[in-house]
Each structure stands twice: as structure tokens, then as C-alpha cells.
Amino acid sequence: MVRWFGVLGLTAFAAGVAALAVFVSSTWWWAAGPLLALSLVGFHDLLQKRHSILRNYPIVGHARFMLEEIRPEIQQYFVESNTEGRPYDRVTRDLMYDRAKGNHGEKPFGTQRNVNEVGYEFVAHSLKAKPKPDGEVPKVHIGGPKCTQPYNISMLNISAMSFGSLSGNAIEALNGGAALGGFAHDTGEGSISVHHRKFGGDLIWEIASGYFGCRSDSGGFDPDKFKERATLDQVKMISIKVSQGAKPGLGGLLPGAKVNAEVAEARGVPIGQTVVSPPAHTAFTTPLELIDFIDELRDLSGGKPVGFKLCVGSKREFLSICKAMVERQSGPDFIIVDGSEGGTGAGPVEFEDYVGMPLTEGLMFVHNALVGAGLREHIKIGASGKVASGIDIVKRVCQGADFTLAARAMMFAIGCIQAQKCHTNHCPVGVATQDPWRARALRVDDKKQRVFQYHERTVNSAYQIISSMGLDSFDQLTPRKLFRRVDPQTTKTYRDLYEWLEPGELLANPRLSWKRDWQVAQADSFDKAPYTPDLAGL
């Protein structure tokens, strides 16, 4: 069969050559044009040296590249089932679209999920279910002992997405929705742009290793520039990005061609200059220095909540930060845990697939570490990763979070179709692009309303779920409330499946599974302490 494709291509090529004679010797000139074009393509295919398939199968070999180009669309619209799509299946996407349009996300005829599949999760309702209280869903108070301007954050917020990665229209729609709904919008590491300021929605200013918006001429941290922006009324919290799920342990490079006037103003860099974000921060190099840096930012901001975001990698390194908090008697007001599953940020496939700790494991580890170190009382935990529905909020709280953030779900609310072209500047709906022609398709007035509606209905769905469980607040959710199927005949609660430390346990007598990491962690270095004889067998 493959041989015949080659024959067909050569035949088309020969027909094109013959077309020239036809054109010269007859009145069939209108047919000669297309055939001559085919012959030119055939000449090119035979002579080029880049694609072997075109040298062997001229002309028809192009069909392979055309089919490759449309394969994702064919897969999404015609091949995959409603529950098979990745990273978001059709059922989940439909739910997000429906709620963004102002509907409640209701479907007839029962679930399409396989409830007997290993890994299926559910919560148990109560025979003492309660009606969902009227009024606003309660928020989470963020602010430790040293915070003088605490912030009450929504159960669901917009996760970090920078202007530059997203279009100006997309940023305006997201922030406009946040302003309408009274929830927070994380700026991403690209800092605060004019698009973030237009509607005045609450901001979480994210600061990464490039220190955009508070960057010195040499690329380091500039406290004066930081104070200028951190004291803006619109900025409610400051988040230090230690690492992110899409590319944990990697820095970044913004080519000078992309640094236009708007990007340069937001990031505090010269127009047209290539900007490098190193893999690690230069403002701190040890756990103790990180805690000191947090205290410095809190003072400079006038007492606003300061925390950090990370994708968990080495358990020992995070425990080193916990030891530094204990030693300094200080720490962050919040920690955002990002999952290694990745998000809107493009990264190498190997990093997205195999580097870092997935959100579920990372979230439970951070919660347990803070509990075991006696620190959990004053530090709130945010979960960032694949939060799309009310049940996702409930699950993450059961696993240890206090609040959640979503990036891709908010992109769906403003029209994302999961084309996965975010890194190409060719987003078909104007969300993840800097192409003015493509971005013009996104109408801010319409999409900001959809962001508001999606958020409102999703959070209310989560509140309705906990009411059906007989609970009054999200604080009452525990690992015992979340079930997971571990084999076709058995389900277990998260309390039974995983370890859960007691308050202060690491400071007193850590259990064996935590003892080694805790003992080799040190507050003054991210390196592990030398082994001692009593650790050799652990």
C-alpha cells in the first residue's frame, strides 16, 4: 500500500510535466495551471533534503503533515469520549463553560464516570444534610502574628498567569471578573501591568527570581521599587515564587523581541532587552535568609500578608524551611502549593511529566510538615492545580488546603478551547497570545462577566456540597470525609490511606518515616546535615 502512494506521487509529478505540453499544444490551458503547480511541488519534494518521506513520496507525502496538524482537533472533537480527554475531559470542560455562561451545570441521566474504577474519589452525604446558607460564602482570613493588614481570601481565586503569557484583553477580563466577585487575582511573575490596574480587582503580587517590577539594574531585588508597588491599595498579598509546577527548578528567558513598551513598563526592564530569570533567587540562599526576606517584604509593604509558592521537590529542603521558621519564631502568612502536573506555563515535557511532586502528595506533605513543626495555626495553605468544580475545592480542603487557586479553569471561563497553543503565540481565541489581531477576538466586557459567573457558581457548588454533608463550614472538612477506591471491592478514607502528624510531633519525637528527613534538615542551609552513626540505619 505504501509503495502505491509513491507511485501516485510520481504519477502526479509526471502529469504536471505533461501539463506543460498540454498548455503549449492545446486549448486546455485551464487544466495546465494546477498540474504545473503539482509538478513544481514534486520537483521541490524530490530535491529537498529535510524530509525523507517527501523524497520517497512526492506530493502525497504532504498529506501526513496535514493530518498531523489537525490530529489534536480530530482527537478532541471526534475520537475521545466525554471522560477521556487530557488535561481536562469533555464533561469537565462543559461544566466550566456552562457555569461561565451563568448556568448551574446540571445534566440528566446520571453520571458518566466509572464509579468502580480504581482511583475514583467521592464524599459522603449526611442524613442530617442542611440547606445551604444564604448570603456570601465565608472567606479565609490570612495574616499571621506579624501581619497588620490581613486579607480575607475567597475559597477560589485566579492563579498565577503573567501579562506577556496572556494577552492584555485576557488579563483585563480576569481582573474585571475578580473585581465583580470580590476574589483575588495572582499577577504571575510578570508583575503588575496597566491591564491589571484597569478594573481594580484585588491582586496577589508574585515575585520570582527575575524580580520583575522590583528589579535593580543588575537584575537583583530593589527594595525601593518593591515598596512603591507593594503599598498600592489594590495589592492585597505578596507571593514569592520559589518554584512552579510546569517547570520546577528551571529559570526562564524572555527574548528582547517580546519586550515591548507595555511589557517593559510592567516588568521594570528596558524595551527590547532580553531578560533572564535564574533558576534560584539571589535575595536569599538559605532557609533562614528566606524567612528574613519574608519579614523584610512584610515590613516594606506596610504589614500585608507575605508568603511563598512552590512545587514540592525535596522533602528535606521544605523541612529546613520549617526549622528556620521555628528558629526565627517567624514565617510566611501563607504557602501556595503548586502541583507538578503543570498549568498554563509551558515547560519541557520531561519536567511536566517527571519532575516535582504532584499536587495531592505535595499538599498533604506541606500540611503535615507544618502541623508536625507546630506552625500550622498561623499559616494558611493554598492549593493551585486543576481546580475546576465545587468538588475539587472540597477535595483539596480535605487534603489540607484552606483555599484554592485556578488558572486553566479561569482561561476556560474567558473562552479557552484547550487548543494547547499557549506557547506558540497562535492562541485561536485570543487568550494566550500577544498578537493584536488574535487578541481582539476576546471581548473584555463579556468575558469578565463570565469569570464572575464561573467563580460564583463554582464556590456556591462547593458550599452546597458541604451542606449536604451536614457541615456548617469548610473548616469541618477532614481527611475522613474524602473516600478513594483502592481496588474494585475496597474504598478507604484519606485518613486511613495516608499518614497525618500530630501537632508538634516533629519537635518532640518524629515517627520513623519522617525522622531521617527531619534530622538531616538544617535551618542555615538547604544542604543536608552530615550523617551521624545513629542515622545510618534509618
Side-chain angles (χ1 to χ4, degrees):
M1 176 64 72
V2 173
R3 178 193 298 178
W4 287 109
F5 281 115
V7 172
L8 179 61
L10 290 172
T11 301
F13 171 60
V17 174
L20 185 59
V22 171
F23 177 72
V24 172
S25 62
S26 74
T27 58
W28 289 80
W29 58 268
W30 55 270
L35 291 173
L36 186 59
L38 283 176
S39 72
L40 293 175
V41 172
F43 267 121
H44 171 269
D45 291 348
L46 288 171
L47 297 177
Q48 59 83 37
K49 299 179 180 180
R50 184 177 180 184
H51 300 292
S52 299
I53 193 170
L54 295 181
R55 289 172 65 84
N56 283 339
Y57 308 101
I59 301 176
V60 295
H62 289 279
R64 175 184 182 274
F65 300 107
M66 290 187 289
L67 291 172
E68 271 193 336
E69 185 69 22
I70 64 172
R71 181 184 181 278
E73 287 77 12
I74 298 297
Q75 175 74 19
Q76 180 177 146
Y77 295 120
F78 300 108
V79 177
E80 70 184 32
S81 75
N82 286 345
T83 58
E84 286 180 341
R86 296 289 184 274
Y88 289 88
D89 60 44
R90 184 79 241 178
V91 171
T92 304
R93 297 200 303 272
D94 283 346
L95 176 62
M96 290 186 281
Y97 292 142
D98 205 35
R99 287 190 170 147
K101 293 173 183 175
N103 302 317
H104 292 283
E106 296 175 342
K107 293 287 183 182
F109 227 65
T111 183
Q112 297 183 50
R113 307 287 182 190
N114 180 4
V115 298
N116 295 313
E117 182 180 25
V118 173
Y120 175 76
E121 295 180 343
F122 63 95
V123 295
H125 68 285
S126 171
L127 294 180
K128 298 191 296 181
K130 302 178 179 182
K132 183 179 76 69
D134 295 330
E136 185 179 4
V137 176
K139 295 185 176 182
V140 178
H141 182 84
I142 296 184
K146 294 186 176 181
C147 176
T148 59
Q149 296 190 56
Y151 178 64
N152 293 326
I153 197 168
S154 172
M155 291 302 300
L156 175 63
N157 306 275
I158 301 171
S159 194
M161 294 179 283
S162 299
F163 168 62
S165 297
L166 267 57
S167 67
N169 283 0
I171 294 293
E172 289 180 13
L174 292 171
N175 194 256
L180 291 172
F183 53 98
H185 178 191
D186 192 314
T187 65
E189 68 173 284
S191 191
I192 304 167
S193 70
V194 292
H195 305 288
H196 290 95
R197 301 294 307 278
K198 183 173 181 178
F199 293 105
D202 293 348
L203 294 177
I204 303 171
W205 182 14
E206 182 175 283
I207 298 172
S209 58
Y211 303 109
F212 297 127
C214 54
R215 181 184 177 96
S216 67
D217 293 339
S218 61
F221 174 71
D222 187 317
D224 294 327
K225 290 181 179 179
F226 172 80
K227 184 175 182 178
E228 181 182 348
R229 295 197 179 194
T231 52
L232 294 171
D233 289 340
Q234 192 180 352
V235 175
K236 303 301 181 183
M237 305 199 305
I238 293 95
S239 176
I240 304 166
K241 189 184 87 168
V242 177
S243 63
Q244 72 178 87
K247 44 186 176 181
L250 286 181
L253 182 145
L254 184 66
K258 291 187 176 182
V259 185
N260 58 28
E262 283 187 327
V263 172
E265 189 278 331
R267 301 197 177 205
V269 297
I271 297 173
Q273 177 178 301
T274 296
V275 182
V276 176
S277 296
H281 279 262
T282 56
F284 59 88
T285 57
T286 70
L288 287 173
E289 289 178 359
L290 170 59
I291 302 307
D292 293 340
F293 187 55
I294 290 171
D295 287 340
E296 179 185 3
L297 297 189
R298 190 185 291 113
D299 291 341
L300 290 170
S301 68
K304 293 180 179 180
V306 178
F308 62 85
K309 178 180 85 171
L310 85 165
C311 172
V312 178
S314 165
K315 293 183 177 181
R316 169 185 49 77
E317 289 179 353
F318 186 81
L319 293 176
S320 294
I321 297 174
C322 292
K323 283 192 170 182
M325 296 182 208
V326 173
E327 183 172 324
R328 285 285 193 261
Q329 290 295 295
S330 184
D333 299 291
F334 64 92
I335 297 173
I336 296 173
V337 183
D338 209 7
S340 65
E341 298 90 337
T344 57
V349 172
E350 297 91 340
F351 277 76
E352 291 185 338
D353 289 349
Y354 303 111
V355 180
M357 195 177 292
L359 179 58
T360 297
E361 287 79 3
L363 176 59
M364 292 189 296
F365 168 75
V366 169
H367 168 77
N368 271 311
L370 295 177
V371 169
L375 301 164
R376 185 67 173 89
E377 179 183 0
H378 299 299
I379 301 174
K380 296 297 190 289
I381 298 177
S384 177
K386 292 198 76 171
V387 177
S389 65
I391 192 62
D392 293 330
I393 296 174
V394 172
K395 285 181 182 181
R396 294 309 181 192
V397 176
C398 288
Q399 293 164 355
D402 296 293
F403 62 97
T404 64
L405 306 97
R408 288 172 288 184
M410 297 297 179
M411 290 173 65
F412 281 114
I414 58 176
C416 172
I417 60 172
Q418 197 167 281
Q420 300 185 62
K421 303 285 187 182
C422 308
H423 61 301
T424 66
N425 207 36
H426 296 153
C427 173
V429 292
V431 175
T433 181
Q434 292 302 303
D435 183 337
W437 187 86
R438 292 176 182 272
R440 92 198 197 295
L442 196 157
R443 294 182 60 247
V444 174
D445 288 343
D446 173 53
K447 300 305 184 185
K448 72 176 183 179
Q449 187 67 30
R450 292 198 179 197
V451 172
F452 163 68
Q453 290 171 167
Y454 166 73
H455 172 272
E456 179 186 48
R457 282 155 179 76
T458 302
V459 173
N460 273 286
S461 170
Y463 207 16
Q464 182 69 69
I465 291 170
I466 67 167
S467 296
S468 74
M469 297 168 69
L471 307 178
D472 296 312
S473 71
F474 290 96
D475 294 338
Q476 295 175 285
L477 290 170
T478 68
R480 292 188 187 279
K481 304 293 185 182
L482 181 58
F483 293 79
R484 183 179 180 88
R485 184 171 294 282
V486 295
D487 63 50
Q489 290 79 37
T490 309
T491 60
K492 292 185 177 182
T493 70
Y494 266 66
R495 178 71 187 184
D496 298 325
L497 283 171
Y498 298 98
E499 286 186 314
W500 300 92
L501 300 189
E502 297 298 324
E505 180 179 335
L506 293 175
L507 302 176
N509 184 28
R511 62 188 68 184
L512 185 61
S513 56
W514 286 73
K515 191 170 186 178
R516 176 175 177 172
D517 285 328
W518 179 253
Q519 290 191 355
V520 298
Q522 46 189 348
D524 59 355
S525 175
F526 284 112
D527 297 328
K528 64 182 178 182
Y531 285 112
T532 55
D534 62 305
L535 297 178
L538 297 180

XYZ file of all heavy atoms in Angstrom, residues 286-292 318-331 375 518 522-526:
223
model
N 19.591 30.630 51.803
C 19.405 29.647 52.867
C 17.980 29.761 53.408
O 17.300 30.774 53.183
C 20.388 29.880 54.034
O 20.025 31.096 54.726
C 21.822 29.989 53.532
N 17.501 28.743 54.135
C 16.165 28.842 54.731
C 16.003 30.042 55.658
O 14.977 30.723 55.627
C 16.029 27.521 55.491
C 16.917 26.570 54.770
C 18.079 27.392 54.308
N 16.999 30.311 56.473
C 16.918 31.455 57.376
C 16.821 32.766 56.596
O 16.064 33.675 56.965
C 18.128 31.483 58.306
C 18.161 30.425 59.424
C 19.491 30.455 60.154
C 17.007 30.635 60.410
N 17.579 32.863 55.515
C 17.525 34.077 54.694
C 16.164 34.229 54.017
O 15.684 35.348 53.828
C 18.639 34.046 53.646
C 20.031 34.245 54.235
C 21.122 34.154 53.182
O 20.782 33.915 51.990
O 22.309 34.303 53.535
N 15.526 33.107 53.656
C 14.175 33.178 53.103
C 13.196 33.760 54.119
O 12.385 34.633 53.786
C 13.713 31.784 52.674
C 12.224 31.642 52.304
C 11.841 32.566 51.163
C 11.890 30.190 51.954
N 13.283 33.311 55.363
C 12.384 33.831 56.402
C 12.666 35.312 56.657
O 11.738 36.123 56.813
C 12.542 33.022 57.704
C 12.254 31.537 57.444
C 11.603 33.554 58.781
C 10.923 31.245 56.773
N 13.950 35.696 56.641
C 14.294 37.109 56.807
C 13.766 37.941 55.643
O 13.314 39.077 55.824
C 15.808 37.275 56.921
C 16.373 36.658 58.193
O 15.594 36.453 59.145
O 17.592 36.371 58.227
N 12.136 21.422 52.321
C 10.994 22.110 52.923
C 11.051 22.023 54.445
O 10.710 22.981 55.144
C 9.670 21.526 52.425
C 8.474 22.293 52.915
C 8.080 23.459 52.283
C 7.774 21.877 54.042
C 6.999 24.197 52.750
C 6.686 22.608 54.517
C 6.303 23.766 53.858
N 11.491 20.881 54.971
C 11.629 20.765 56.420
C 12.699 21.719 56.954
O 12.612 22.197 58.087
C 11.948 19.319 56.798
C 10.822 18.311 56.545
C 11.286 16.893 56.857
C 9.580 18.648 57.354
N 13.699 22.022 56.127
C 14.696 23.026 56.517
C 14.043 24.390 56.696
O 14.375 25.143 57.620
C 15.800 23.121 55.456
O 16.551 21.937 55.378
N 13.101 24.716 55.806
C 12.368 25.980 55.942
C 11.543 25.969 57.223
O 11.464 26.985 57.941
C 11.468 26.205 54.708
C 12.319 26.328 53.445
C 10.617 27.453 54.893
C 11.525 26.406 52.154
N 10.933 24.830 57.530
C 10.170 24.729 58.784
C 11.077 24.952 59.998
O 10.699 25.644 60.955
C 9.492 23.360 58.885
S 8.170 23.089 57.685
N 12.266 24.375 59.961
C 13.203 24.587 61.076
C 13.618 26.044 61.183
O 13.778 26.581 62.289
C 14.438 23.703 60.892
C 14.206 22.240 61.250
C 15.519 21.477 61.330
C 15.309 20.082 61.922
N 16.565 19.319 62.063
N 13.772 26.706 60.033
C 14.114 28.132 60.052
C 12.986 28.949 60.658
O 13.228 29.917 61.399
C 14.418 28.608 58.629
N 11.741 28.588 60.370
C 10.597 29.282 60.972
C 10.612 29.125 62.488
O 10.379 30.083 63.232
C 9.280 28.721 60.419
C 9.039 28.927 58.955
S 7.410 28.237 58.506
C 7.679 27.821 56.793
N 10.885 27.913 62.936
C 10.928 27.657 64.380
C 12.046 28.462 65.021
O 11.871 29.076 66.080
C 11.103 26.147 64.645
C 11.326 25.898 66.139
C 9.897 25.363 64.145
N 13.221 28.488 64.380
C 14.371 29.201 64.946
C 14.137 30.707 64.990
O 14.488 31.369 65.966
C 15.629 28.885 64.138
C 16.884 29.528 64.694
C 18.152 29.050 64.009
O 18.206 27.863 63.646
O 19.085 29.870 63.836
N 13.561 31.259 63.919
C 13.328 32.699 63.856
C 12.055 33.125 64.582
O 11.832 34.324 64.791
C 13.238 33.152 62.398
C 14.551 33.227 61.655
C 15.347 34.450 62.091
N 16.456 34.713 61.182
C 17.703 34.357 61.405
N 18.021 33.718 62.532
N 18.653 34.636 60.521
N 11.220 32.164 64.949
C 9.908 32.476 65.531
C 9.131 33.418 64.603
O 8.504 34.386 65.028
C 10.070 33.103 66.920
C 10.577 32.120 67.966
C 9.575 31.003 68.241
O 8.473 31.223 68.741
N 9.954 29.771 67.886
N 9.234 33.138 63.326
C 8.576 33.933 62.305
C 8.342 33.038 61.101
O 8.838 31.907 61.034
C 9.434 35.140 61.918
O 8.765 35.966 60.984
N 7.606 33.550 60.124
C 7.361 32.746 58.934
C 6.374 33.415 58.008
O 5.928 34.544 58.240
N 3.491 24.746 63.431
C 3.402 26.025 62.729
C 2.075 26.249 62.014
O 1.815 27.348 61.523
C 4.533 26.121 61.683
C 5.964 26.014 62.209
C 6.927 25.734 61.053
C 6.350 27.295 62.932
N 13.800 14.867 58.790
C 13.767 15.939 59.778
C 15.142 16.153 60.408
O 15.589 17.292 60.600
C 12.729 15.630 60.853
C 12.641 16.667 61.930
C 13.092 16.553 63.215
C 12.089 17.986 61.819
N 12.852 17.713 63.921
C 12.233 18.606 63.088
C 11.489 18.695 60.798
C 11.795 19.902 63.347
C 11.047 19.994 61.041
C 11.200 20.579 62.302
N 18.471 21.307 57.950
C 19.095 22.320 58.796
C 18.629 23.710 58.380
O 18.470 24.002 57.193
C 20.624 22.217 58.750
C 21.214 22.057 57.369
C 22.705 21.755 57.424
O 23.359 21.883 58.472
N 23.281 21.371 56.302
N 18.422 24.549 59.384
C 17.835 25.866 59.152
C 18.772 26.807 58.412
O 18.307 27.715 57.723
C 17.430 26.486 60.490
N 20.064 26.607 58.523
C 21.007 27.563 57.929
C 21.523 27.136 56.567
O 22.425 27.754 56.013
C 22.193 27.799 58.874
C 22.962 26.521 59.194
O 22.514 25.437 58.767
O 23.989 26.614 59.883
N 20.953 26.071 55.998
C 21.396 25.621 54.692
C 20.345 24.706 54.070
O 19.671 23.960 54.787
C 22.726 24.873 54.795
O 23.086 24.332 53.536
N 20.227 24.779 52.733
C 19.363 23.835 52.033
C 20.051 22.495 51.827
O 19.420 21.526 51.384
C 18.918 24.410 50.687
C 17.852 25.466 50.812
C 18.125 26.791 50.510
C 16.575 25.139 51.248
C 17.146 27.772 50.628
C 15.585 26.106 51.374
C 15.866 27.425 51.056
